[in-house]
Amino acid sequence: MFDVIIAANGNSVRMGFDKLAAKIGENTVLARTVNAFRDIDGIERIIIVSDDAPDIGGVLTVKGGKTRELSVMEGLKATEAEYVLIHDGARPFVSKELIERVMQCTREYGSAVPCLKITDSLRGISDGYVSSFPDRNSYVTVQTPQGFRTEKLKRAFACAEKEGLLERFTDESEIYSRYVSPCKLVDGEQSNRKLTTQADFFGLNARIGTGFDIHRYVEGKPLKLCGIEIDHPYGLLAHSDGDAPLHAVTDALLTAAGERDIGVFFPDDDPRYENADSRIFLKKAAEILKEKNLSVNFLNVTIIAQSPKLSPYIEKMRQNIAALLNISPEKVTLSATTTEKLGLIGENKALAALAAAALV
Ligand code: MG
């Protein structure tokens, strides 16, 4: 009953790279967009309009035109279903609920356009100054998929083409509204965003890693945490300097990067690392990230100790971790907690640290 036309002939000028071929997890953006429409009752065919889309199983690919609407027109030529959904190839996060809502509304009203209310204030502009104050409640932003009765949308496109206006329109709802009738609105979704610039990809492929470490307190060894010397009668028993938070951070970074843990890189029976300054472990992890073209987007460290009181050192430790990794301190958060005198840590026999890292 429905065919889906996926407009995938964008030239990605704003991105500087082929955004539809970029990956989110295992799939390309385009494949993920296509997958969103598979296995939905009532959808007969998926048609990709693209000159250079790679082969995606189970879909029909047709060549596009110079502009979006010329491309969509090529897609329309290939469809004979009663209804059609037009969707942007660069909106891979569309949900099944939204697709079904649009389909339902299209069956009922002959058209359906998902929209979002505007939450920011809206201003008219003129020569770099604010010139008017429109009521934002009178406006919405519109998304895709947009649904139409195929025969009516084809007619609207034919009229636009005849008047030589086809290239001026930015979406189908404008063409349909102009030549057929106003489009019916349905609620869109914030998450159904269009990937337009490189910044839109930031964080989408975040890699997550966690690390944990615990060392026993011993007398006669300086206490080092996050590379900072802390005034305390005990230090941490270890092959290295025992800097548990740096070990936890190193593990978080290594595992997020898909590597084995710190013990594999720096065996604790290797004499080279006896009393080693733990900053070298972190440096090694940072080198690996660099080799893999990964960077730290966020790092959280939690130190668990009954004593000493760590609040005077928190800011210094946070700054030091950021400096060691050559990242801005805003990307690092650090907290300290006790175990309310419970267990080994509560009895001041040990100190533990946790770390969580997100890499992009
Ligand atoms: Mg350790």
Side-chain angles (χ1 to χ4, degrees), residues 95-316:
S95 72
K96 189 178 179 193
E97 291 73 42
L98 177 56
I99 295 168
E100 290 182 337
R101 190 152 67 235
V102 169
M103 290 168 71
Q104 173 62 27
C105 179
T106 306
R107 282 193 209 98
E108 217 168 307
Y109 297 93
S111 65
V113 175
C115 69
L116 290 179
K117 286 180 180 159
I118 293 170
T119 50
D120 290 332
S121 292
L122 199 59
R123 295 289 177 264
I125 55 166
S126 175
D127 291 333
Y129 287 88
V130 172
S131 61
S132 61
F133 303 85
D135 176 10
R136 68 180 170 201
N137 295 317
S138 302
Y139 293 86
V140 290
T141 57
V142 299
Q143 307 181 318
T144 69
Q146 299 183 355
F148 306 93
R149 188 174 277 281
T150 308
E151 167 261 317
K152 288 197 172 176
L153 186 64
K154 281 185 178 180
R155 199 170 74 209
F157 267 72
C159 292
E161 194 189 20
K162 205 166 153 197
E163 290 188 11
L165 296 175
L166 200 52
E167 290 173 50
R168 275 189 23 198
F169 297 104
T170 59
D171 77 337
E172 295 67 49
S173 70
E174 195 180 349
I175 302 175
Y176 185 89
S177 299
R178 185 172 171 129
Y179 297 104
V180 180
S181 63
C183 292
K184 181 72 178 165
L185 293 170
V186 295
D187 288 336
E189 285 173 345
Q190 283 291 354
S191 54
N192 178 29
R193 62 192 200 276
K194 190 173 180 180
L195 300 174
T196 306
T197 67
Q198 195 131 25
D200 294 332
F201 279 75
F202 195 66
L204 288 182
N205 290 310
R207 306 178 63 126
I208 311 295
T210 61
F212 170 78
D213 197 24
I214 184 164
H215 285 277
R216 189 183 289 276
Y217 271 138
V218 285
E219 275 180 87
K221 196 176 175 185
L223 177 61
K224 271 180 78 183
L225 299 176
C226 305
I228 306 283
E229 227 178 283
I230 311 281
D231 190 20
H232 196 50
Y234 304 108
L236 293 169
L237 180 67
H239 186 57
S240 66
D241 65 7
D243 195 328
L246 283 197
H247 299 175
V249 169
T250 304
D251 265 350
L253 297 178
L254 288 172
T255 53
E259 297 289 334
R260 298 284 304 279
D261 59 73
I262 188 171
V264 174
F265 287 89
F266 305 100
D268 64 6
D269 53 2
D270 187 330
R272 281 179 300 169
Y273 305 121
E274 191 164 355
N275 288 320
D277 182 334
S278 295
R279 289 178 296 188
I280 65 167
F281 307 151
L282 200 60
K283 288 277 178 199
K284 176 69 183 173
E287 266 170 39
I288 289 171
L289 298 197
K290 204 173 167 197
E291 278 165 23
K292 294 192 157 188
N293 198 24
L294 292 167
S295 57
V296 179
N297 192 31
F298 185 70
L299 179 64
N300 169 255
V301 188
T302 307
I303 302 173
I304 311 165
Q306 196 60 47
S307 74
K309 197 171 169 47
L310 290 171
S311 53
Y313 300 99
I314 295 262
E315 186 53 22
K316 212 173 161 191

Side-chain angles (χ1 to χ4, degrees), residues 8-9 18 20 30 48-56 61-63:
N9 214 23
D18 186 355
L20 296 179
L30 183 57
I48 296 178
V49 189
S50 171
D51 290 340
D52 50 12
D55 199 23
I56 296 177
T61 302
V62 300
K63 294 262 182 236

